[in-house]
Amino acid sequence: AIQLTQSPSSLSASVGDRLTITCRASQGISSDLAWYRQESGKPPKLLIQGASILVSGVPSRFSGSGSGTDFTLTISSLQPEDFATYYCHQYNAYPFTFGPGTKVD
Amino acid sequence: QLHLVQSGAEVRDPGASIKVSCKASGDTSGVYVIHWLRQAPGQGLEWLGYVNPKSGGTNYAEKFQGRVIMTRDASISTVYMELPRLTSEDSAVYFCARRYGSTGLDPWGQGTLVAVSS
């Protein structure tokens, strides 16, 4: 199975901060990577797919980049609802796998 | 827009089974499959497999092959995930989520808490 690692595992931030989270795949996955935000007690919400394609309705402060094995999620100006856990997800091959998450508090 | 609504929380004894439902409403047209995932308390996301609501075709994670059963009732736009022989390690929130074409998972159901305890 393709393994995904994320860094950092957690970070402290403030409203208005710019954040970057990285995700690395154990083998090349082209651009078959998604990013999700999960607020406490809620299901994950899809933010980015195809590594860099912003999902309809998602604020433009979110952006994604990368291909192959190295990917990043950037939040340009952190908002109160962004204090959550972020997961990357590869859908290049089954079984689908997820990164361990990055908690932003 | 598609909405997924899951069945309610369940408590089971070890060795029992669970069957969670996921009902689609709204725009159910198009070609998509429903994936099942779970999240143990304080942990990350684990993929169990998927079921095609129209054909009934399935694909299970190797870890769950021979154990999980995913089915559907197309007449009521509902898919099911059944997991027998429960242990405490199966205690988790179970989610269904749609994959439309070659995309990420969106939307997700609200989650179903399954607690396995004697």
Side-chain angles (χ1 to χ4, degrees):
Chain A
I2 297 172
Q3 297 184 18
L4 299 179
T5 57
Q6 284 182 237
S7 62
S9 57
S10 66
L11 64 91
S12 294
S14 301
V15 172
D17 284 354
R18 179 183 180 89
L19 301 183
T20 297
I21 298 169
T22 65
C23 177
R24 175 164 289 177
S26 60
Q27 64 189 69
I29 57 171
S30 185
S31 297
D32 297 332
L33 188 102
W35 289 96
Y36 301 83
R37 177 182 71 187
Q38 186 177 31
E39 298 174 69
S40 181
K42 295 185 178 180
K45 174 182 170 58
L46 180 64
L47 304 173
I48 301 273
Q49 60 190 356
S52 61
I53 301 170
L54 193 66
V55 171
S56 176
V58 173
S60 59
R61 64 179 181 273
F62 293 96
S63 63
S65 65
S67 67
T69 60
D70 294 305
F71 303 86
T72 62
L73 171 71
T74 299
I75 308 172
S76 61
S77 178
L78 200 67
Q79 298 303 300
E81 60 269 30
D82 299 333
F83 291 92
T85 300
Y86 293 83
Y87 294 96
C88 57
H89 159 220
Q90 71 78 21
Y91 50 89
N92 179 262
Y94 290 109
F96 282 0
T97 50
F98 291 77
T102 295
K103 185 174 183 179
V104 177
D105 58 21
Chain B
Q1 197 171 9
L2 184 79
H3 296 279
L4 299 175
V5 178
Q6 299 180 222
S7 48
E10 304 271 13
V11 179
R12 291 286 187 274
D13 291 330
S17 64
I18 189 73
K19 189 171 185 177
V20 181
S21 67
C22 173
K23 181 175 177 60
S25 63
D27 183 6
T28 59
S29 64
V31 179
Y32 63 89
V33 296
I34 299 294
H35 291 250
W36 287 94
L37 308 96
R38 72 181 186 181
Q39 187 171 39
Q43 302 301 308
L45 295 158
E46 181 176 31
W47 181 77
L48 281 70
Y50 72 72
V51 56
N52 184 314
K54 290 184 169 55
S55 70
T58 57
N59 183 6
Y60 302 144
E62 185 174 352
K63 174 180 177 178
F64 297 100
Q65 284 180 2
R67 186 171 169 226
V68 73
I69 304 169
M70 297 178 187
T71 57
R72 98 292 190 203
D73 184 340
S75 68
I76 55 172
S77 301
T78 300
V79 299
Y80 303 91
M81 188 283 300
E82 183 172 9
L83 196 61
R85 303 188 297 279
L86 293 168
T87 72
S88 58
E89 294 186 352
D90 296 313
S91 293
V93 176
Y94 288 75
F95 294 103
C96 62
R98 178 190 67 171
R99 187 178 188 220
Y100 186 80
S102 299
T103 63
L105 301 173
D106 179 63
W108 292 57
Q110 83 275 20
T112 297
L113 176 64
V114 174
V116 183
S117 174
S118 56

